[in-house]
Each structure stands twice: as C-alpha cells, then as structure tokens.
C-alpha cells in the first residue's frame, strides 16, 4: 500500500507541476508579445512620422527670406556720473517671410527706428557684454518691432554691425 500511496503522490505532483509550467509559458509568451508590440509602436511613433515630414519638406521648397534694411543708429549709453561717455553703433536688418510684407512694413520704419532708439538709449555697457547680452538685445528688438508693425510679423532682427566705443 505504501507503494500505491507513493505512486498517487507522484501523479498528483506531476499534475500540479504541469499547470505551473503552462503558466510560465503563457507569461513568457505574453511578455514577448508586449516587447515586440512596444518595439513596433515605438518605430511607428518615432520613425514613420519623420518620413512623412521629410517627404512634405522635399515636395514644397521654401522661398528664401527677404530682408529690410533699417537705418544705422548711433546712441550714447547710460553711464555712471564721472565715467566717459560710451556710444553704441548698430546696423540692423529685419528678416521677413515674403516679399509682399516689405511694402507693408516700409511705411512703419520711422516708428521702428524710434522704438529702437528709445530702447537703445536706456542700455548700459554691461547690458551688452558677451554673446548673452547681444542675444537678449536681439530678442528684445524683435519683440519691439513686432509690436510696432502688428499684425505683421518679423522673423528676426539680424545684426550687421555692433560697435560699443
């Protein structure tokens, strides 16, 4: 009888072990499908979209930007009493998207020049130090010119010459 009990116990263990093995296989297959599905989804999200963007960009070539000359400006900078007077000379060009914007903006150039002059006269030499100072100046001039010529927009204010003396 002991041999019969042992045989029944071994058969019961085999039946219990079989579901655990199937469970492991199902979990492994599910994990594999999740990884493969995630990889395909990632490829679709990151790479497929870029192919469409590149195809559209190649299909429609951009027109080159148009530039508007602003008269040269020479202003004295704010300094401490007793310091020698320093001057700022700036040559600026406005970048616009289309040729037709030039004719709309040109009548507003005196207003743009006035806004630039007023702003530049309040600067100190320390405001213009380094590339960060020039970047801030460029951003501020772009913001001011866009406010002056609204609803038209300028892409950028470009420096042709900046001299602090």
């Amino acid at each position: 009888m002991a041999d019969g009990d042992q045989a029944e116990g071994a058969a019961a263990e085999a039946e219990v072990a079989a579901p655990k093995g199937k469970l492991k296989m199902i979990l492994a297959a599910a994990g594999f499908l999740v990884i493969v599905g995630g990889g395909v989804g990632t490829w679709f999200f990151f790479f497929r979209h870029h192919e469409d963007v590149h195809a559209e960009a190649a299909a429609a070539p951009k027109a080159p930007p148009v530039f508007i000359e602003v008269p040269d400006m020479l202003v004295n900078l704010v300094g401490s009493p007793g310091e020698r007077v320093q001057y700022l000379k700036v040559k600026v060009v406005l970048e616009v998207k289309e040729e037709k914007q030039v004719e709309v903006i040109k009548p507003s150039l005196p207003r743009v020049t006035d806004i630039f002059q007023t702003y530049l006269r309040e600067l100190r030499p320390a405001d213009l130090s380094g590339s960060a100072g020039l970047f801030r100046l460029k951003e501020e001039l772009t913001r001011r010119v866009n406010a002056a010529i609204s609803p038209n927009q300028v892409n950028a204010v470009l420096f042709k010459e900046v001299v602090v003396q």
Side-chain angles (χ1 to χ4, degrees):
M1 278 221 195
D3 290 331
D5 290 337
Q6 263 183 348
E8 287 177 18
E13 286 179 21
E15 289 176 10
V16 172
K20 285 185 182 178
K22 286 183 182 179
L23 182 63
K24 286 182 182 179
M25 283 296 276
I26 291 172
L27 288 176
F32 178 75
L33 290 175
V34 167
I35 291 172
V36 170
V40 170
T42 302
W43 173 82
F44 185 78
F45 182 73
F46 286 110
F47 299 110
R48 174 123 167 108
H49 176 68
H50 293 295
E51 292 171 2
D52 295 339
V53 171
H54 293 302
E56 290 174 10
K62 286 186 171 180
V66 181
F67 301 101
I68 302 171
E69 293 278 335
V70 176
D72 298 350
M73 290 175 264
L74 179 65
V75 297
N76 56 333
L77 299 173
V78 175
S80 301
E83 286 185 352
R84 73 176 180 92
V85 177
Q86 288 188 308
Y87 296 95
L88 171 67
K89 181 179 181 183
V90 180
K91 290 184 181 181
V92 177
V93 176
L94 306 176
E95 179 184 335
V96 294
K97 289 181 183 175
E98 300 172 340
E99 183 72 36
K100 63 184 177 182
Q101 287 181 309
V102 173
E103 298 307 318
V104 175
I105 294 173
K106 279 212 183 225
S108 300
L109 277 182
R111 177 176 286 121
V112 170
T113 303
D114 177 61
I115 289 172
F116 283 0
Q117 290 268 349
T118 306
Y119 176 72
L120 292 174
R121 289 183 58 85
E122 293 298 320
L123 293 176
R124 294 180 297 274
D127 295 335
L128 300 171
S129 62
S131 62
L134 287 179
F135 180 77
R136 283 191 301 268
L137 177 62
K138 180 186 286 196
E139 292 298 313
E140 186 64 30
L141 293 178
T142 303
R143 187 182 69 76
R144 289 176 185 266
V145 73
N146 282 333
I149 63 169
S150 180
N152 294 307
Q153 293 291 314
V154 169
N155 290 347
V157 171
L158 306 174
F159 294 126
K160 289 177 69 176
E161 182 178 345
V162 178
V163 178
V164 178
Q165 188 173 0

